[in-house]
Amino acid sequence: MKFYDIDSVFISGKYAGETLAEVYEKDPKYINYCQENDDDFYISPEVMKELRTLARDHRLLTQDLDKLTDEELSEFMEEMNEIDPFDEGNFDDDQFYIMINDIIRGNDNKN
């Protein structure tokens, strides 16, 4: 069994040469397919959570929220919360502002 992390590179298949994170961003259903159909393909729950968080962050940064109707915005935020619920109680004010600034600048400083 091969244990995959977000930087693992596919060595065969339609996404050969790409990392798990890159494939998940393009085609998350392919990752699900691999998990369901390949007994040697394993992604830990922690890695899946990290992939979902990366996908959420990518969508938040690329979605043009100003063009959404109120209903579409509400649906979008519900989807984002399903991917990775946000609990502001996990952050003090300084940590929260540092995290937001890092996301805006494209930094990934997970300390």
Side-chain angles (χ1 to χ4, degrees), residues 36-55:
E36 293 171 2
N37 295 290
D38 185 348
D39 293 335
D40 292 327
F41 188 90
Y42 179 76
I43 301 174
S44 71
E46 294 82 16
V47 171
M48 280 305 297
K49 182 175 181 175
E50 189 171 358
L51 287 170
R52 287 194 290 286
T53 299
L54 288 171

Side-chain angles (χ1 to χ4, degrees), residues 57-109:
D57 292 349
H58 180 263
R59 282 195 65 200
L60 283 171
L61 292 172
T62 59
Q63 181 70 42
D64 190 352
L65 301 177
D66 291 334
K67 292 185 178 179
L68 298 178
T69 65
D70 288 343
E71 184 176 321
E72 291 170 332
L73 182 59
S74 178
E75 289 175 13
F76 177 78
M77 295 311 293
E78 284 179 26
E79 287 176 26
M80 294 297 100
N81 201 40
E82 287 174 10
I83 291 172
D84 187 20
F86 178 76
D87 181 3
E88 63 186 76
N90 291 335
F91 299 96
D92 63 30
D93 287 340
D94 290 337
Q95 286 176 317
F96 179 74
Y97 290 115
I98 290 169
M99 180 193 72
I100 295 299
N101 284 327
D102 285 345
I103 290 172
I104 291 169
R105 292 186 183 124
N107 299 334
D108 189 16
N109 297 329

Side-chain angles (χ1 to χ4, degrees), residues 1-29:
M1 178 175 290
K2 178 166 175 148
F3 293 85
Y4 284 80
D5 62 31
I6 64 167
D7 296 321
S8 295
V9 177
F10 283 84
I11 58 172
S12 63
K14 74 189 226 182
Y15 293 109
E18 296 186 51
T19 67
L20 181 66
E22 292 169 333
V23 174
Y24 188 83
E25 185 178 318
K26 290 179 190 177
D27 190 359
K29 290 180 181 179

